[in-house]
Amino acid sequence: MFYSLFIFPIESILTIIYAILNNIFLVDGISIIGLSFAVTMLSLPLYNRAEQWQNIERNIQKRFKKKLDDIRAVFHGDERYMIIRTFYRQNHYHPIYALRSVLGLAIQIPFFIASYHYLGHHGGLTEKSFYFIQNLGKPDELLRIGTLTINVLPFVMTAINVLATWVYSDKLEHREKVQLWIMALLFLVLLYTSPAGMVLYWTMNNIFSLVKNIIYKTSNPVLAFKKTMLWFSFLVFVYTLLPWFSVSIQWLGYETVVPTADHILWMNLIFGVVFIFQLLLPFLFKIVKKIHKFLVAFDENKTAKNNIFYFSCMTLFVICGLVIPSSLISTSPQEFSELLADGESPVIFINNTLLQSYGIFLFYPLAIFYLFGNETKFYLTLFMLSSSLFAIINFYIFPGSHGNINIMLDFDYPELLIPAKMVVAANLSLLLTTVVLTILLLRKKHYKFFQYSFSIFLLAAITVAIHNIIKINQSHNEYTKSLVNNKKTIEVGENGILPVFTLSKNKKNVIIVMLDRAINAYFGEILNYYPKIKESMNGFVYYPNTASYSGHTLMGAPPLYGGYEYTPQALNQRAEIPLVKKHNEALLVMPRIFSNAGYTTMCTDMSYANYQWTPDNSIFAAYGIGSALLAGTYTNQWIKLHQDRLPAWLNVGVKDKQKSFLEKKLFSFSLFRIMPVMTRPFIYDDGAWLDKTFFYEKRMQWFFTNIIPHYSVLDLLPQLCRYDGKKESFMILVNDTTHNPAYTNGSDFISTIRNEGNYRNDYVLPFDDEDSLSHFFANLTAIKALCAWFDKLKEENVYENSKIIIVSDHGYQVTVPGFQSFSNDTAMNRNYAFYNPLLLVKDFDASGDIKISDDFMTNADVPSIAVSHLPHDKRVNPFTNNTLDVNSKANGINIVASHKWQISDHGEYIFNFNESDIVHVKDNIFVKENWSGTVSAEE
């Protein structure tokens, strides 16, 4: 709570400033110096105000000194106390006012803690050098005497601090001087073993403080300050020009990153504007004064000014702390629940963001508001009023179509964040119009308009947030109930992993593996890239020409599980039955058919069972069908098995780290939503959210938290099966290894961990964009794991008598060679890959090399393929009594090309899509003319 209220607001400012400077200069050392300067300038008004209060206190104490000395000389004990107290009361003074003398120190403390917390733990500074400093992320160790190392920077920092104190303290009392000397030594002790980056920051702080104290000693401090700032901005501008004059890039600090000509040009432009801005400041101050004069009546109405300031702060607090985080979490509460311990509700994320918003938009603004005089309060009120109105406009009128975002706050399509020029123009125009109208309304003394408007808005916003929180808690309760119901379905042995699936050596086994979002075309590339797979998958038939009915699981999975009676359009025709019931029917079709035929059945991690993010297996228990939740069950065992090859930071507390990330960055998402559209790509910062501190670690945590829980199941399949079944067996394994790839720089991280190779180094993949490469390696990883299992099946004499179907519910928006010739628009061609799911089939006793079939298939063929060996009367849908052999694709299929992938996007009984969302395809899906309708990108 202390951190969220007092430190987080300041650390957020440090983070934003550092990100801006680092994007401009590219050099961490220069960015740290710039950060120190920016913080000094931002806190200067606070220090000036604190200095005024301290001077008032010093003058009072000087005026009281003689009288107090007389009292202390004559009186003692309680009598002295009562007389001094009376004396203070007669002079309208309270002893608590003495705290004004330490106000300057009180301001320093939160800034120091925030900078120490930020720079002292800034992982991005590790191995970064800056001139003579070899590593900004560690103590400098600049002086070596034998085996002894001495950190020099802390002593330089202390020397400058002592000099600044000496300049500042000539008029202070001896007691105050001693306090300053002690503080200088205390900082030496505190920072001696700190990273060099942190010490560099505080050293520059002391240098700027020294310059400030020298300026105060001049005859005209205001004029001296203006001249100093003008010269400083000019020198920085000259610094940005130096690379054009063949000045050594390394001499300027660019040792690891060399700026491009375009980047140098941008630096010139930015700091040229800053320099010109310095020259124009007198004119800008005149404009500000005229606005003040124009609204002098508002300035004099203290009640109206105070009320509008309070309402403005409260509005920002409610939007950022309550409405935005609750809206985000309520879209998929169970995803957030997965990061928490049992019993914890995702509402704790909202509580944390609420505290942070309170510190940023209420505590500090109100503290500053009451610290300054009336004129400053006037400007603060205008600023907060404009900010709150901007937040409402940007959040509600310009929400943006940013596509899907995961629980680690990564957008699937960051390119969507770049707004169109017309949207930027409209956004800025509306904001400017709002400023003008606000000034006019204040001029007309319509103060009540703002108060009433804010009151109505706050009431509505809080109501929406409460609704979201109720929804989150309800969903979390369902999630908790689901976990309780499913805990008894799977056990992990003390000395190993207990089998979940039972297969037979001499009876038929039907195996369906559903790899969510597996890309069909990438299997063909896998065969070329990793030929060894062909040996393990003998007897399989590969169907490249396969289509799905939707690009997302919600509408794409039911046909896969239940057949053509469960396509989106077919489900909507049964409008009298709730969607959740129809979805559950689809999941149960094959398990019930095989159960009725005498097969042992086991279904694991079935998609959206009972419309729950974490599948609710109670729908299977009702029919005596075996079910289990495997995802995440074996993560810890897998990590222990591969501990020697894993990164040192990885441990079973990864989810705790992700929770910490969300607690820190959920506010950044709120900030993102209330800012003008043109600033949003910068705030998102490729998923770093203006903080490179733990960006790499976050990426790897995301990898292990979203891949390993699923990949570990595939990798451990040989141990999860027993091979002594006495009856025919049917199993469905649903797995997400292919769904959320997080492979960095196109590397197959799993193979690195497992020390595997055998790739064809001479084979060049026909795509090189990071998203496609990531998905390719995710697919490769999943197929390799399945092949290891197939080898085990062969060893146990189970492979030949097994029918195996590997299928996905949909594809994804990646580069697929077969669609690249459709148009000149590469991005448009990628959209077709949404509807090309993987389909591989091995029938009983099939053998020989992998065959490729050009037959037009859909994933809705899976149920009829699975039951094709059963007697005809056994191939009946137990819910509709229709046979599964009906082929509804003879004249092509209708695909619902809608990207409404969440349950909440649809009604209770039917899916929400329009005729314009329908796309028809027939015969060969790789012929453009066989498609009709618009295949759109995900938004």
Side-chain angles (χ1 to χ4, degrees):
M1 183 177 292
F2 174 81
Y3 171 80
S4 296
L5 282 177
F6 304 112
I7 308 304
F8 178 83
I10 298 175
E11 188 174 344
S12 297
I13 294 172
L14 298 181
T15 302
I16 293 170
I17 295 172
Y18 185 85
I20 294 171
L21 293 170
N22 207 242
N23 284 330
I24 293 173
F25 288 111
L26 305 178
V27 181
D28 293 274
I30 296 175
S31 301
I32 290 172
I33 295 171
L35 176 65
S36 179
F37 174 76
V39 170
T40 299
M41 296 307 299
L42 286 174
S43 59
L44 189 59
L46 294 176
Y47 283 118
N48 288 341
R49 188 59 176 166
E51 184 70 18
Q52 292 174 12
W53 283 107
Q54 288 175 185
N55 287 334
I56 291 172
E57 182 61 25
R58 290 190 194 107
N59 293 333
I60 290 174
Q61 291 302 327
K62 285 180 181 178
R63 184 160 51 88
F64 288 172
K65 187 176 186 305
K66 187 177 183 306
K67 185 65 176 177
L68 290 174
D69 287 345
D70 291 343
I71 294 173
R72 292 188 181 106
V74 176
F75 301 98
H76 301 280
D78 291 343
E79 190 176 14
R80 174 196 288 179
Y81 169 75
M82 294 303 297
I83 292 174
I84 290 176
R85 185 176 178 183
T86 303
F87 173 74
Y88 282 154
R89 187 170 60 253
Q90 289 172 345
N91 286 274
H92 309 290
Y93 180 84
H94 194 284
I96 199 171
Y97 293 164
L99 292 176
R100 293 182 296 195
S101 63
V102 296
L103 197 55
L105 177 62
I107 291 173
Q108 280 195 61
I109 290 173
F111 276 98
F112 173 75
I113 296 175
S115 60
Y116 186 85
H117 189 264
Y118 178 59
L119 292 173
H121 302 84
H122 198 309
L125 297 179
T126 305
E127 304 302 330
K128 297 291 181 66
S129 61
F130 183 61
Y131 294 115
F132 51 84
I133 303 173
Q134 296 301 312
N135 191 335
L136 288 167
K138 295 181 178 180
D140 61 82
E141 299 181 348
L142 289 174
L143 183 61
R144 292 180 179 271
I145 305 174
T147 58
L148 178 67
T149 59
I150 298 175
N151 301 324
V152 176
L153 272 180
F155 290 103
V156 174
M157 173 198 73
T158 304
I160 296 170
N161 196 1
V162 168
L163 182 59
T165 301
W166 177 73
V167 173
Y168 173 72
S169 63
D170 59 339
K171 295 182 179 179
L172 299 184
E173 296 290 333
H174 178 71
R175 177 178 55 83
E176 293 178 306
K177 290 180 180 180
V178 171
Q179 289 176 352
L180 292 174
W181 303 127
I182 293 174
M183 285 299 298
L185 294 175
L186 181 62
F187 277 117
L188 172 63
V189 174
L190 286 175
L191 298 181
Y192 181 75
T193 58
S194 295
M198 174 62 201
V199 183
L200 175 63
Y201 167 84
W202 207 252
T203 302
M204 295 308 302
N205 241 25
N206 292 334
I207 290 174
F208 294 132
S209 178
L210 174 61
V211 172
K212 177 187 69 175
N213 292 340
I214 292 173
I215 289 173
Y216 283 162
K217 294 293 182 180
T218 62
S219 57
N220 190 339
V222 175
L223 181 61
F225 176 76
K226 289 179 179 178
K227 288 182 177 180
T228 302
M229 289 301 300
L230 188 61
W231 273 107
F232 181 79
S233 61
F234 175 71
L235 290 174
V236 174
F237 177 52
V238 170
Y239 170 87
T240 65
L241 293 173
L242 290 178
W244 297 115
F245 298 96
S246 301
V247 175
S248 169
I249 289 291
Q250 189 170 356
W251 183 83
L252 293 172
Y254 298 101
E255 296 182 14
T256 56
V257 180
V258 178
T260 63
D262 286 343
H263 191 86
I264 295 172
L265 193 61
W266 271 108
M267 282 199 297
N268 302 157
L269 179 62
I270 290 169
F271 287 101
V273 169
V274 170
F275 177 58
I276 294 171
F277 179 79
Q278 286 287 317
L279 295 173
L280 295 177
L281 269 179
F283 302 101
L284 295 175
F285 279 127
K286 288 182 180 179
I287 294 173
V288 171
K289 290 293 184 182
K290 286 184 177 180
I291 293 175
H292 184 217
K293 188 176 180 181
F294 187 70
L295 298 177
V296 65
F298 173 61
D299 185 25
E300 293 173 352
N301 192 326
K302 293 183 180 180
T303 302
K305 187 166 57 179
N306 290 351
N307 288 341
I308 290 177
F309 184 83
Y310 301 150
F311 274 114
S312 300
C313 293
M314 193 68 184
T315 298
L316 289 167
F317 164 65
V318 169
I319 292 177
C320 291
L322 201 59
V323 176
I324 294 176
S326 68
S327 298
L328 175 68
I329 296 172
S330 67
T331 59
S332 187
Q334 294 189 5
E335 280 191 89
F336 291 88
S337 295
E338 290 178 351
L339 295 180
L340 302 172
D342 291 348
E344 281 189 307
S345 168
V347 173
I348 67 170
F349 291 120
I350 300 174
N351 295 340
N352 188 71
T353 310
L354 204 62
L355 274 175
Q356 294 167 349
S357 295
Y358 181 85
I360 290 175
F361 295 122
L362 283 174
F363 176 78
Y364 276 109
L366 288 171
I368 294 170
F369 188 75
Y370 283 110
L371 187 64
F372 288 94
N374 287 330
E375 185 175 347
T376 304
K377 288 180 179 179
F378 166 79
Y379 294 121
L380 286 172
T381 302
L382 284 187
F383 175 77
M384 294 304 292
L385 175 59
S386 300
S387 298
S388 59
L389 294 175
F390 288 178
I392 293 171
I393 291 169
N394 293 326
F395 178 56
Y396 290 100
I397 302 179
F398 294 92
S401 298
H402 304 134
N404 184 38
I405 186 171
N406 60 41
I407 56 171
M408 291 307 291
L409 307 181
D410 284 322
F411 286 102
D412 280 356
Y413 307 108
E415 60 270 20
L416 293 176
L417 300 182
I418 302 174
K421 293 179 180 178
M422 290 298 294
V423 175
V424 173
N427 185 219
L428 295 178
S429 298
L430 186 53
L431 297 181
L432 181 60
T433 303
T434 301
V435 171
V436 174
L437 290 176
T438 299
I439 292 174
L440 292 176
L441 286 169
L442 292 175
R443 169 71 174 182
K444 295 292 184 180
K445 301 181 181 180
H446 294 309
Y447 312 136
K448 295 292 184 182
F449 169 80
F450 292 103
Q451 296 176 38
Y452 292 149
S453 298
F454 279 131
S455 298
I456 295 170
F457 169 81
L458 287 171
L459 182 62
I462 292 172
T463 302
V464 169
I466 291 173
H467 172 76
N468 289 335
I469 290 171
I470 292 172
K471 179 181 176 182
I472 291 167
N473 278 325
Q474 288 176 341
S475 181
H476 174 70
N477 291 337
E478 291 172 355
Y479 169 80
T480 303
K481 181 181 177 182
S482 177
L483 287 182
V484 172
N485 290 339
N486 289 299
K487 272 185 177 178
K488 59 187 178 183
T489 65
I490 185 69
E491 296 181 73
V492 180
E494 291 183 8
N495 301 317
I497 297 163
L498 299 181
V500 177
F501 305 103
T502 300
L503 300 174
S504 174
K505 298 177 186 290
N506 47 31
K507 300 287 184 178
K508 286 183 169 61
N509 305 298
V510 178
I511 300 169
I512 297 177
V513 178
M514 200 282 265
L515 298 175
D516 201 317
R517 197 197 271 183
I519 311 299
N520 188 305
Y522 289 176
F523 181 75
E525 301 303 329
I526 288 170
L527 293 178
N528 294 323
Y529 188 73
Y530 193 67
K532 185 182 177 182
I533 285 174
K534 297 176 183 179
E535 302 173 14
S536 301
M537 296 188 66
N538 59 294
F540 269 92
V541 179
Y542 169 42
Y543 295 94
N545 187 28
T546 301
S548 61
Y549 279 85
S550 173
H552 302 279
T553 302
L554 188 63
M555 290 189 279
L560 182 158
Y561 294 118
Y564 289 97
E565 292 183 282
Y566 296 91
T567 66
Q569 286 183 302
L571 290 178
N572 275 8
Q573 288 173 5
R574 299 163 62 192
E576 73 284 357
I577 302 174
L579 279 172
V580 59
K581 185 176 181 180
K582 291 179 283 191
H583 182 87
N584 290 343
E585 277 186 19
L587 300 184
L588 286 161
V589 166
M590 287 190 287
R592 284 196 61 189
I593 289 176
F594 282 104
S595 180
N596 293 339
Y599 283 61
T600 60
T601 58
M602 175 58 70
C603 306
T604 64
D605 303 294
M606 299 293 281
S607 313
Y608 288 129
N610 214 23
Y611 265 12
Q612 297 298 307
W613 179 264
T614 299
D616 181 0
N617 284 340
S618 63
I619 68 169
F620 300 101
Y623 293 96
I625 294 168
S627 59
L629 296 179
L630 302 186
T633 302
Y634 307 103
T635 303
N636 293 347
Q637 279 89 339
W638 190 91
I639 289 175
K640 289 176 182 177
L641 287 172
H642 300 280
Q643 194 69 53
D644 57 329
R645 296 192 183 107
L646 296 177
W649 54 262
L650 181 69
N651 52 56
V652 294
V654 168
K655 286 192 176 183
D656 291 333
K657 294 179 181 178
Q658 285 195 311
K659 177 185 173 184
S660 298
F661 169 81
L662 277 177
E663 288 174 342
K664 188 173 182 180
K665 289 302 169 188
L666 203 53
F667 177 81
S668 297
F669 179 75
S670 292
L671 186 67
F672 167 90
R673 292 299 306 274
I674 67 170
M675 293 297 285
V677 294
M678 65 184 296
T679 65
R680 290 174 185 173
F682 170 75
I683 296 172
Y684 178 62
D685 198 17
D686 293 327
W689 295 99
L690 298 178
D691 191 357
K692 296 291 196 299
T693 306
F694 47 87
F695 183 50
Y696 172 77
E697 186 172 327
K698 170 205 163 183
R699 288 293 190 190
M700 299 312 293
Q701 288 169 11
W702 174 242
F703 171 84
F704 276 97
T705 308
N706 289 274
I707 298 295
I708 297 305
H710 307 286
Y711 172 73
S712 59
V713 176
L714 297 184
D715 194 37
L716 296 173
L717 269 175
Q719 297 161 259
L720 289 173
C721 296
R722 55 186 302 172
Y723 308 98
D724 56 356
K726 306 302 181 185
K727 298 171 59 179
E728 283 87 359
S729 173
F730 170 74
M731 61 172 279
I732 301 180
L733 168 68
V734 180
N735 193 271
D736 280 6
T737 298
T738 50
H739 190 275
N740 290 313
Y743 299 82
T744 57
N745 300 320
S747 63
D748 183 4
F749 197 75
I750 290 292
S751 292
T752 303
I753 291 172
R754 295 177 61 87
N755 196 26
E756 295 173 350
N758 299 318
Y759 299 131
R760 274 184 58 190
N761 295 326
D762 61 328
Y763 184 72
V764 179
L765 294 169
F767 40 79
D768 58 6
D769 59 286
E770 186 173 351
D771 206 22
S772 298
L773 284 172
S774 294
H775 278 80
F776 171 79
F777 283 115
N779 280 253
L780 172 63
T781 296
I783 294 298
K784 283 168 58 180
L786 289 176
C787 285
W789 181 43
F790 296 155
D791 292 340
K792 178 66 174 178
L793 296 182
K794 292 174 184 178
E795 181 183 322
E796 297 288 344
N797 297 317
V798 174
Y799 188 77
E800 288 188 5
N801 61 310
S802 297
K803 179 189 292 187
I804 305 173
I805 302 171
I806 304 174
V807 64
S808 62
D809 48 350
H810 56 83
Y812 194 57
Q813 189 179 3
V814 291
T815 300
V816 171
F819 297 124
Q820 291 309 294
S821 61
F822 276 23
S823 71
N824 294 325
D825 187 346
T826 302
M828 174 60 73
N829 296 338
R830 287 162 58 98
N831 298 338
Y832 289 91
F834 267 120
Y835 313 104
N836 183 206
L838 178 64
L839 181 59
L840 296 159
V841 179
K842 186 200 82 70
D843 210 342
F844 300 114
D845 302 316
S847 60
D849 294 338
I850 296 174
K851 299 177 178 63
I852 300 177
S853 172
D854 293 327
D855 292 348
F856 176 52
M857 303 290 285
T858 77
N859 53 7
D861 289 320
V862 168
S864 59
I865 295 172
V867 304
S868 60
H869 64 285
L870 295 178
H872 194 272
D873 62 338
K874 298 288 186 182
R875 308 176 194 172
V876 176
N877 182 334
F879 298 100
T880 65
N881 293 321
N882 296 323
T883 61
L884 297 182
D885 301 81
V886 177
N887 188 343
S888 301
K889 65 175 190 266
N891 298 315
I893 67 169
N894 287 334
I895 296 171
V896 178
S898 166
H899 295 293
K900 296 177 179 178
W901 64 273
Q902 299 182 96
I903 295 170
S904 58
D905 292 331
H906 302 276
E908 183 179 355
Y909 292 90
I910 63 173
F911 292 119
N912 292 329
F913 57 83
N914 303 315
E915 286 298 320
S916 59
D917 295 320
I918 305 298
V919 176
H920 187 79
V921 65
K922 61 180 181 179
D923 302 332
N924 189 346
I925 66 171
F926 299 107
V927 175
K928 178 65 171 65
E929 290 71 27
N930 290 344
W931 292 78
S932 61
T934 302
V935 179
S936 61
E938 184 176 16
E939 295 184 357

